[in-house]
Amino acid sequence: DTGVSQDPRHKITKRGQNVTFRCDPISEHNRLYWYRQTLGQGPEFLTYFQNEAQLEKSRLLSDRFSAERPKGSFSTLEIQRTEQGDSAMYLCASSHPEGTMSYEQYFGPGTRLTVT
Amino acid sequence: GQNIDQPTEMTATEGAIVQINCTYQTSGFNGLFWYQQHAGEAPTFLSYNVLDGLEEKGRFSSFLSRSKGYSYLLLKELQMKDSASYLCAVKDNDYKLSFGAGTTVTVRA
């Protein structure tokens, strides 16, 4: 397995448009996370899945944001009616279940979103 | 809320040692992580501390004092490729990481 992959790597969109990003985690990882990172800041937690269940959603995530992981494998993050403030790097990470094997979160390369 | 503080920037010479400090105040504590992030790339895992003390991994070491809410990352024998942002992150429950803003380390020849 080559690690966590994300698609697309870059997305430029006009304000008001909808965008969808995809994350493919490491295959044996049942935990999947989405983070957002702006320039000069660390990643901020957005949401977390254990298998197909979305177990937490940050208050940072407005109603315009939705994430799914329908079969417990890949995940999508959709932003509706994008705003300029949504411009950021969206990072996906995955990990083993707590208490097993290893504990670190493995990050994908990110999708850089620019809203014009 | 979560409060994780680390210096914004540090500069050091190739071959030298640099220590990046991190202080934290979080609602829970299930371990402290250090990640390295090169510009435009994903964060990559460096170290994990859950008990007090020093963890050593090659040129990188990390220290934790839970009573003081304090950690540091020690980078020895600095190389040019070590120029990157170093992120301190606290796992405040069994899954969520709260990150500091990162410390940009510049290694000069």
Side-chain angles (χ1 to χ4, degrees):
Chain A
D1 194 296
T2 56
V4 180
S5 61
Q6 294 186 243
D7 183 69
R9 294 292 306 277
H10 303 274
K11 179 70 178 179
I12 300 173
T13 191
K14 293 186 177 178
R15 190 176 53 187
Q17 298 294 304
N18 299 345
V19 294
T20 301
F21 310 142
R22 177 180 169 124
C23 170
D24 287 88
I26 294 172
S27 58
E28 62 266 32
H29 288 179
N30 74 337
R31 295 182 162 206
L32 186 146
Y33 317 80
W34 285 97
Y35 291 84
R36 179 171 64 190
Q37 186 176 25
T38 54
L39 200 62
Q41 298 299 313
E44 294 175 292
F45 172 82
L46 294 178
T47 191
Y48 156 63
F49 289 85
Q50 183 159 302
N51 299 310
E52 65 276 7
Q54 187 174 20
L55 297 185
E56 184 173 339
K57 189 175 172 180
S58 165
R59 282 171 289 181
L60 291 174
L61 237 55
S62 74
D63 291 343
R64 296 183 297 105
F65 288 72
S66 62
E68 293 183 341
R69 194 183 183 198
K71 297 181 181 178
S73 56
F74 73 92
S75 175
T76 58
L77 178 68
E78 181 183 17
I79 309 175
Q80 296 182 326
R81 305 181 302 282
T82 52
E83 301 172 357
Q84 288 186 319
D86 297 332
S87 295
M89 175 77 85
Y90 289 84
L91 292 164
C92 177
S94 69
S95 70
H96 285 290
E98 186 74 7
T100 66
M101 303 184 74
S102 62
Y103 33 72
E104 67 263 34
Q105 294 182 15
Y106 293 79
F107 282 82
T111 294
R112 181 166 294 285
L113 173 66
T114 303
V115 182
T116 61
Chain B
Q2 318 296 53
N3 192 21
I4 300 169
D5 289 319
Q6 49 182 130
T8 304
E9 294 180 340
M10 301 184 76
T11 301
T13 306
E14 197 173 14
I17 298 172
V18 70
Q19 177 174 315
I20 307 169
N21 296 324
C22 172
T23 58
Y24 63 90
Q25 289 178 304
T26 57
S27 55
F29 183 83
N30 273 6
L32 188 141
F33 292 76
W34 285 94
Y35 279 82
Q36 180 191 60
Q37 188 176 28
H38 285 98
E41 297 183 9
T44 54
F45 169 77
L46 289 178
S47 69
Y48 169 67
N49 295 70
V50 67
L51 299 176
D52 290 353
L54 187 68
E55 294 283 340
E56 297 187 84
K57 275 175 92 171
R59 296 189 298 114
F60 295 171
S61 304
S62 57
F63 172 83
L64 174 67
S65 169
R66 288 172 297 171
S67 63
K68 295 181 179 177
Y70 167 70
S71 173
Y72 68 73
L73 179 70
L74 196 69
L75 284 62
K76 294 177 275 190
E77 301 168 17
L78 279 173
Q79 302 175 8
M80 299 299 287
K81 67 178 182 180
D82 297 330
S83 291
S85 179
Y86 291 85
L87 299 162
C88 173
V90 172
K91 188 184 248 188
D92 52 8
N93 52 27
D94 75 337
Y95 55 85
K96 185 163 64 178
L97 291 178
S98 295
F99 284 85
T103 300
T104 299
V105 171
T106 302
V107 180
R108 295 193 169 155

